Structure formats: structure tokens, C-alpha cells
Amino acid sequence: MALSRDDVAKLADLARLELTETELERLVGQLDLILTAVDSVSQAATAEVAPTSHALALVNVMRDDVVTASLPREAVLAMAPAVEDGRFRVPRILGESA
Amino acid sequence: MSPAPALLDFDRAMALFDPALGLEVHVELNTRSKMFCGCSTEFGAEPNSQTCPVCLGLPGSLPVLNRRAVESAIRIGLALNCSIASQCRFARKNYFYPDMPKDFQTSQYDEPICHDGRVTVEVEGRQIVIEIERAHMEEDAGKLVHVGGSTGRIQGADHSLLDYNRAGVPLVEIVTKPILGAGAQAPQVARAYVAYLRDLLRALGVSDVRMEQGSLRCDANVSLMPRGATELGTRTETKNVNSLRSIERALRYEIRRQAGLLVAGGRVKQETRHWHEDSGTTSPGRSKEQAEDYRYFPEPDLAPVAPDPEWVERLRLELPEAPPQRAAWLRAEWGFTEAEMRDVTGGGALDLVVRTVAAGAAPAAARKWWTTELARWANSAGVELEAVPMTAEQVAEVQALIDQGVINDRLARRVFEAVLAGQGDPAAVVRDLGLAVLSDGSALRQAVQRAIADQPEVAQRIRQGKVQAVGALIGQVMRDLRGRGDAAAIRQLILDELTSGQEAG
Ligand SMILES: [Zn+2]
């Protein structure tokens, strides 16, 4: 399956990456190569082999519903680009209405 | 941009189109800790005081699933008559929005834990089966506040503020299959379904199910197709619908809006819309991303969940009674007629009546206050009965005051008004406002004597044995005491007064 320039441009947009025309051209070729490599896996997979989504054959890794300590508030807010009223301050969101 | 076509009259819209509904309900679970970390889920804490590397998505952190959240999800699925997946997994839903610090939401996509269920709801005596497509586990997002806009909305806002305490709180999302054939009852069906879920989830004890606090949220999808057509029309998804009443209103509005568009030769745009409670309208939000835009992929950091069949069976056996069965035996126990019980359940008063009875009131009295006085108050205030600022215990207290003869029904109404206005508990209100019935004492005796003196000819007729004439005097005493009298006590007092007068004379 061939990846088009538009596919890559859309993916870049969804990932919030700004790519130049040259970068796009280069990535179309590279991503196409990766997809072809991944595609070869499907030649090995047969109907009897279930698709793998996890590297370890583990299920039901769970914890009890117990509260543990959270990070100190100051430490959390120190990571924010800007703080107001104990909250993370972000620019207004464009093209949205809520 | 040309102005939007006018709304079409609802009845006319229903004559031309069949609505198809789809409801997505998010339930915030009442676990102590978050879905994938040990941060507390307690409501109302200082902003950003309940976060950690896992729920903030800091590099190197690893999520671990909350067993009780999984148990709640399974119990919800069982109560909705769903199949429980023998194995399921989580997925990452990728999108950028500041309420999601991880830049993805951990959800379930192709393998929900519960699928293919059904429930039956009743609207105006008609049973409607609602098919459940799935119920899956996911996590909540943080809370955004928009600053600078006049209305707290994003339009005109300068910037936004975020509290991530809610990010990572466990949610179960319950999705219906398209609900067809409801016709003009569609808005009521949606409301009845969400009310059913609310009662069911409360009975399960898995959530606080407070719509006004956001622990139960409904997104309502609706589309219209010309009558007789079989292909579904383009749908819109209305968000921000946070009461049962607004579900019905929002759907009526959306049906009228879409019908207006279609009749004018326009097309419905597939989009998310926001409900505005104040104006009773919806407005467009962001255009809906396609599922593929979220680039879902299996969550590599969480092992799949394979619920032990024995565990599932045990949970099935421990399920509480379904709300309709519970209502049936409560009706028998309380001795209500079917119509009386419909008033109670339809008005969302069942649990309130249960609690009022538990607090000592007779069932008929509990029903009376919740379905009349308090229902009227809720209706005019535009809130759910649950949100009325009066507790079941306070209602039982008012009834106890009536039973003890401290107040009568008429005074009780004034006590309700005062309690609802936040003036304190019933007993305190009665004391502070001097609302107690004057069953004896000098004030009552004086009022009786005044009435006799004012209407000597009536008094004379009573002395002559025309006891039915006493009503005129009782009426005057009641007016004099501004309703604080007990009619039976006044009657006795008047008769005593006139008889003793006779003996003396
Ligand atoms: Zn956390």
C-alpha cells in the first residue's frame, strides 16, 4: 500500500507537527518503507495465529482500590508553563467552542 | 453566511420524519482511587492536589489497573444484560486538548469489557426495548475553566485554566445501538432511559450518579429520516446535557432544528453541538473527528483483562434487584395504586420516598409531599427532584410535626417554603416563624371569644342546637390566627365556650 503525500500531511497535522514540503517528501518515502517492512509480518501470520498486542503473555495485572500519596501541589504546578489560581494556565483554544 | 432556517414545529417534524436516537452515557465510578494510579478521587479538593506521574503522563510512569473499577464495570454490564468479554484490552485514543495531560485518553476501542445488552424502559405505559451496544472502561479528563469570556464559555475567553484532579478518574461509557421507532416519544424515551440508568447505577452503588455534578453525563445523538425511509440520516451529537429535563428539551430542540434545515432543502452537518440550558438552544462545537483520526492502538502498558468466569458469576449472583422489580414490591408494601406509583417513579421520587419512609413518615404522606409540594417547587426552579434543597429526613420531620398536631397541612406548606428557602430545619422554622398550631392557650381562647362576640346571632343559633353553624365561627378564628389553628380543637373550644355560657346563663 502506497502512502500519499496527503496522507502524511494529514498525519503530521493530527500529530501537531509542522513539516516543510521537503520534509514531507522525505518522510513519504521513509514511512512507505516502514509500512512495507511491517506488511511482511502479515505474510507470516496465518488464521491460527492470534494477533499480538502485548510483548508479555500476562493478563489481569491489577491493584487494590487504595489511595496513595499524590505529588506535592507545588511540584506539580512548577511543571506548568504558567500558573493562575493553583491551575495550569493555557492559551485560549482556537477553533473550538465549549 | 445565510441565517439558519427556522425551527420546524415539533408535531409537523414528527409527521414528516422518524427520529433515530443514540445515547452515550458516561458514568463516573465512585472508587476511592483513580483508574490507573493511587491518587484520590475525592471531589472538591484543592486544584491539582490529586495528581501523580501516572495521571499526568510523565515519562517513565506506568499505569496499573484498579480492580474495583473493573468489578464495577462488570457489574454495570451484568445489570444491563450484557455479555462480559472473556478477554479485553485497553487502547490509546490520541488527541491534543489541554484537559488531557497525557495527550491520549486510555480507553477501550475494539474490545470493550461489556457488549450486547438490553434494557426495557416505560414511557406512558408503553414498553420500549433499548439495545446496548457496549459498556467500556476509560478515564476522565481534567476540568477546564475559561477565563475572560463574559459567560465562562470559550468564545471571547483570553485563556483557560486547568485542574487535573479529575484526570484519570474511572469512567464507564455506556453506548446504545440506534433507537428506532420511538417517534414523537423519542425525547421522553431518552429521558426515561437515562433515568433508568441513574436508578440502576445507584442501586448498584457504583457511582454517585449526580447529573448536576457531572458524575452522570449524557451525550445525545439524533438524526432524522423521512417517514418510511430505512437509511439513517446524518446525526448530530449534543453535549453538556446535565439534567433529565434538559435531555428531553435538547432532543426536542435538535429534532426541530434538523427538521427545519431539511424542509428548507438544507443538509444536516455531522458535528458536536453544545446545549445551552439558559437559552434552550444548541450551538455547533468542534466538527467531529473521525474515529481514524484518533489513531487508536492497543495500550502497551496495560495487560489485557480476562475476567475469571467464577468472579463474573459471583458478581452476577450478588446483583441487586432491578429497579422495576424493586418498584413492584415497594408498591405492594406501601399499598399504592399503579397510578400513584407511576407518579412516584416517573417523577424520580422513588428513592426519596424510600428514604422519607425510612426516616419515619407514612408511605402515603411521603408520596404526597414529594409528588406535590416538592415536585412543584422543583419544576418551577427547573431542577431535578433530587436537587431540591430539602432532605428526606426533613420531609419526615415535617410529617412528624403534623402527626403530633404541632402544625396542620396548611402550615406545613409554609414550613416547606421556609426550609426550601434555607431558613433551617422544620422544627426550627416552626419555632422561629411561630408557625405552631395554637391548640390551647390564651391566644386561641381569645380568638374564639372574639369570634363569638362578633357574630352573636351565629352563636345564638349554636346555643339553640344548630351545631352545623359552627363552621362560620371556625372560619373567622382561622383567619384571625392566620391559619395557625387546628380546626378540630377550635371547634371543641367554641362548643365548650357556648355550652358553659348556657350553663352560666
Ligand atoms: Zn495519579
Side-chain angles (χ1 to χ4, degrees):
Chain A
M1 61 175 245
L3 209 57
S4 73
R5 182 207 159 275
D6 286 352
D7 291 334
V8 178
K10 175 156 193 217
L11 282 171
D13 185 50
L14 288 171
R16 304 292 190 268
L17 295 173
E18 194 175 5
L19 300 178
T20 63
E21 205 52 43
T22 330
E23 285 169 322
L24 264 181
E25 289 298 327
R26 197 178 72 234
L27 283 167
V28 170
Q30 290 187 351
L31 285 170
D32 219 25
L33 210 62
I34 292 169
L35 284 182
T36 312
V38 172
D39 207 35
S40 64
V41 172
S42 64
Q43 288 160 22
T46 62
E48 299 92 72
V49 183
T52 308
S53 59
H54 292 76
L56 298 171
L58 284 173
V59 292
N60 299 333
V61 180
M62 296 189 242
R63 46 174 260 277
D64 289 336
D65 181 25
V66 173
V67 174
T68 54
S70 292
L71 286 175
R73 197 162 170 241
E74 308 69 54
V76 173
L77 293 173
M79 291 187 277
V83 175
E84 187 178 317
D85 263 350
R87 294 170 171 89
F88 286 59
R89 181 186 160 131
V90 297
R92 110 191 136 101
I93 303 125
L94 290 168
E96 281 272 344
S97 80
Chain B
M1 224 172 76
S2 58
L7 302 183
L8 197 64
D9 172 70
F10 185 77
D11 292 338
R12 180 143 166 71
M14 288 300 98
L16 297 172
F17 301 102
D18 269 326
L21 299 175
L23 300 165
E24 295 170 18
V25 171
H26 287 87
V27 186
E28 214 175 70
L29 300 180
N30 58 3
T31 53
R32 282 188 281 273
S33 65
K34 291 187 181 181
M35 190 66 156
F36 304 113
C37 64
C39 287
S40 169
T41 56
E42 194 151 325
F43 191 78
E46 290 260 46
N48 296 303
S49 61
Q50 294 170 175
T51 66
C52 74
V54 174
C55 54
L56 289 174
L58 300 186
S61 63
L62 284 173
V64 189
L65 187 55
N66 184 332
R67 184 181 289 104
R68 191 162 127 77
V70 177
E71 183 179 290
S72 296
I74 294 173
R75 295 180 68 228
I76 291 170
L78 291 171
L80 295 172
N81 306 298
C82 285
S83 303
I84 307 301
S86 56
Q87 178 158 331
C88 66
R89 60 186 175 189
F90 285 92
R92 288 189 187 183
K93 180 181 183 178
N94 297 282
Y95 67 93
F96 294 95
Y97 202 69
D99 65 0
M100 190 49 79
K102 303 194 297 185
D103 286 342
F104 63 84
Q105 180 190 29
T106 306
S107 181
Q108 293 194 292
Y109 180 52
D110 51 350
E111 296 183 1
I113 187 158
C114 316
H115 57 92
D116 297 304
R118 52 165 34 209
V119 294
T120 307
V121 300
E122 201 184 290
V123 171
E124 292 169 342
R126 180 176 162 216
Q127 308 261 319
I128 294 130
V129 175
I130 294 182
E131 306 271 352
I132 308 291
E133 164 117 12
R134 57 190 283 155
H136 69 251
M137 300 180 278
E138 59 182 35
E139 58 180 335
D140 212 343
K143 211 170 218 167
L144 261 172
V145 194
H146 303 297
V147 180
S150 54
T151 53
R153 291 199 201 125
I154 197 156
Q155 291 92 346
D158 299 323
H159 57 277
S160 303
L161 300 178
L162 277 142
D163 171 9
Y164 290 121
N165 284 352
R166 199 179 64 183
V169 167
L171 293 180
V172 167
E173 179 177 344
I174 304 165
V175 183
T176 67
K177 290 185 179 158
I179 304 165
L180 304 168
Q185 285 179 326
Q188 289 156 278
V189 168
R191 179 190 177 136
Y193 167 71
V194 178
Y196 181 95
L197 284 187
R198 186 190 61 181
D199 294 347
L200 184 72
L201 295 163
R202 184 180 294 128
L204 289 169
V206 293
S207 168
D208 300 339
V209 286
R210 300 289 297 269
M211 290 194 85
E212 74 284 2
Q213 281 181 10
S215 54
L216 184 71
R217 308 197 280 268
C218 176
D219 298 340
N221 290 272
V222 65
S223 65
L224 297 181
M225 50 186 168
R227 281 204 159 261
T230 48
E231 205 175 316
L232 293 178
T234 305
R235 67 168 197 274
T236 59
E237 179 181 6
T238 303
K239 289 184 178 287
N240 195 33
V241 198
N242 45 23
S243 74
L244 291 178
R245 192 165 157 267
S246 13
I247 290 172
E248 209 176 319
R249 287 178 71 205
L251 280 170
R252 276 183 84 89
Y253 176 86
E254 211 27 45
I255 287 171
R256 295 182 59 201
R257 187 190 70 84
Q258 290 186 13
L261 265 174
L262 295 170
V263 164
R267 296 175 60 153
V268 175
K269 190 173 158 214
Q270 182 172 340
E271 63 191 353
T272 302
R273 299 185 66 89
H274 290 272
W275 168 248
H276 306 290
E277 185 68 48
D278 43 2
S279 60
T281 59
T282 64
S283 67
R286 62 182 153 171
S287 50
K288 188 99 177 112
E289 273 111 339
Q290 298 297 308
E292 63 186 36
D293 288 349
Y294 288 124
R295 293 151 296 139
Y296 280 100
F297 64 85
E299 169 57 66
D301 291 344
L302 287 163
V305 178
D308 180 354
E310 275 178 37
W311 185 33
V312 174
E313 278 322 298
R314 201 177 67 237
L315 294 176
R316 190 194 303 276
L317 289 175
E318 289 166 4
L319 281 186
E321 209 170 13
Q325 278 76 39
R326 178 163 168 260
W329 74 255
L330 282 172
R331 182 172 92 74
E333 187 171 290
W334 292 340
F336 290 0
T337 65
E338 279 194 31
E340 286 170 341
M341 198 61 182
R342 253 203 308 281
D343 275 356
V344 172
T345 52
L350 188 63
D351 284 300
L352 295 163
V353 172
V354 168
R355 294 208 287 271
T356 309
V357 171
R367 171 176 56 76
K368 182 178 77 180
W369 296 123
W370 284 110
T371 59
T372 59
E373 206 63 24
L374 295 162
R376 258 199 305 277
W377 192 92
N379 203 35
S380 65
V383 300
E384 297 300 321
L385 204 50
E386 281 279 332
V388 163
M390 187 154 180
T391 64
E393 288 71 25
Q394 287 173 325
V395 175
E397 192 183 334
V398 172
Q399 186 55 44
L401 291 169
I402 296 171
D403 296 342
Q404 292 156 19
V406 177
I407 54 173
N408 54 25
D409 270 28
R410 192 140 49 131
L411 289 167
R413 295 200 159 79
R414 292 174 59 192
V415 176
F416 276 112
E417 271 171 36
V419 174
L420 289 167
Q423 294 175 27
D425 278 331
V429 163
V430 166
R431 191 186 57 236
D432 296 347
L433 303 184
L435 290 178
V437 160
L438 302 169
S439 55
D440 53 18
S442 58
L444 187 54
R445 192 166 295 276
Q446 280 164 21
V448 166
Q449 286 163 350
R450 266 199 302 279
I452 291 172
D454 285 355
Q455 304 192 55
E457 67 290 356
V458 176
Q460 190 52 38
R461 293 222 305 280
I462 296 168
R463 284 198 195 91
Q464 289 162 357
K466 293 204 166 59
V467 177
Q468 64 272 28
V470 77
L473 295 183
I474 296 173
Q476 187 184 334
V477 174
M478 281 298 233
R479 279 193 297 280
D480 199 2
L481 297 173
R482 284 172 295 126
R484 288 184 301 152
D486 177 77
I490 293 168
R491 180 192 160 88
Q492 195 52 53
L493 214 57
I494 294 170
L495 294 179
D496 288 353
E497 196 73 24
L498 293 176
T499 325
S500 65
Q502 228 163 18
E503 276 160 11

